Amino acid sequence: AQSVTQPDIHITVSEGASLELRCNYSYGATPYLFWYVQSPGQGLQLLLKYFSGDTLVQGIKGFEAEFKRSQSSFNLRKPSVHWSDAAEYFCAVGAYNTDKLIFGTGTRLQVFP
Amino acid sequence: NAGVTQTPKFRVLKTGQSMTLLCAQDMNHEYMYWYRQDPGMGLRLIHYSVGEGTTAKGEVPDGYNVSRLKKQNFLLGLESAAPSQTSVYFCASSYLAEGLNNEQFFGPGTRLTVL
């Protein structure tokens, strides 16, 4: 069965520091992978997605993610975090030609000045 | 272009009461979804629809019903609310594109409390 694991429930970083949020997936076929961000009291906004091709994907707000098939991972990175990046981040996996996504449990990011 | 909108934004119910949450999208999307979000559990799919007049069960459908009478609207009903249904409810929609798993667009959420 498909599943997504985000091992880190809560991460705290200082503003200007680099960030990596982990995401591991379990899926038998080629996955379609997504990262969403949820600011407090808001809905989810797509940061980036991977369908095929280049395994390093660029997204909005300076985020990037790298698909590593051998590690079943799709980690989200940002070289320098801003206070406005404080939010909850969700990784999600889907499959070719299907209509559902499986979401991870989320990682809450706190940014200190 | 409003995207995905949800009504109401907040609601407090007593146990046993009923209510309907409305989701509307103006992007002409085929697919629509209802999720619930609970602390530490991420988003769980309640019901979804792949087109007007069709609905299907998701991961946690018990206690909920849905209807998709118009392409742009997807209603979520609670016939007899229970405290376990206290949650934040999100609606999402996505377009139909052959061969792709489609990006979902989310509404702002409805915070429901059942006393």
Side-chain angles (χ1 to χ4, degrees):
Chain A
Q2 300 170 50
S3 67
V4 178
T5 301
Q6 293 181 247
D8 304 305
I9 297 173
H10 186 204
I11 284 183
T12 301
V13 298
S14 298
E15 191 170 19
S18 63
L19 173 70
E20 182 169 27
L21 303 183
R22 296 183 290 167
C23 173
N24 293 97
Y25 67 90
S26 172
Y27 190 67
T30 300
Y32 289 5
L33 295 159
F34 304 79
W35 274 101
Y36 283 85
V37 60
Q38 183 183 28
S39 298
Q42 304 294 317
L44 276 71
Q45 180 185 19
L46 183 72
L47 278 177
L48 47 78
K49 57 190 176 186
Y50 171 78
F51 286 171
S52 64
D54 192 346
T55 57
L56 184 62
V57 180
Q58 301 298 321
I60 63 171
K61 304 185 181 187
F63 285 92
E64 66 178 26
E66 186 171 12
F67 171 57
K68 293 186 177 180
R69 185 187 300 276
S70 62
Q71 297 177 20
S72 297
S73 69
F74 189 56
N75 294 350
L76 182 71
R77 301 194 294 247
K78 187 169 184 178
S80 178
V81 171
H82 188 262
W83 63 266
S84 61
D85 294 324
E88 188 149 21
Y89 292 80
F90 292 93
C91 182
V93 64
Y96 177 88
N97 221 16
T98 66
D99 45 33
K100 294 192 290 294
L101 293 178
I102 304 298
F103 284 85
T105 52
T107 297
R108 182 168 297 280
L109 174 66
Q110 194 170 7
V111 180
F112 281 112
Chain B
N1 190 339
V4 180
T5 58
Q6 293 182 231
T7 308
K9 289 185 169 52
F10 303 94
R11 186 71 185 269
V12 178
L13 290 178
K14 295 181 179 178
T15 297
Q17 287 185 318
S18 63
M19 78 162 295
T20 300
L21 281 67
L22 171 64
C23 176
Q25 53 94 5
D26 60 2
M27 297 174 282
N28 201 33
H29 286 172
E30 290 291 335
Y31 296 170
M32 297 187 75
Y33 312 80
W34 275 108
Y35 294 91
R36 60 177 290 173
Q37 183 181 31
D38 302 290
M41 304 192 75
L43 275 75
R44 294 182 291 169
L45 183 64
I46 304 171
H47 286 281
Y48 66 105
S49 169
V50 300
E52 181 179 326
T54 72
T55 63
K57 293 180 179 180
E59 181 185 355
V60 288
D62 294 342
Y64 305 94
N65 57 76
V66 289
S67 64
R68 183 99 181 266
L69 299 179
K70 294 182 178 181
K71 186 177 184 179
Q72 63 268 33
N73 295 339
F74 195 30
L75 278 63
L76 178 71
L78 286 73
E79 291 185 349
S80 179
S84 60
Q85 294 177 304
T86 294
S87 187
V88 181
Y89 292 86
F90 286 99
C91 177
S93 70
S94 67
Y95 52 87
L96 179 65
E98 180 63 31
L100 292 179
N101 184 278
N102 306 307
E103 172 188 350
Q104 294 184 14
F105 295 80
F106 284 82
T110 295
R111 185 173 294 276
L112 174 66
T113 301
V114 182
L115 302 175

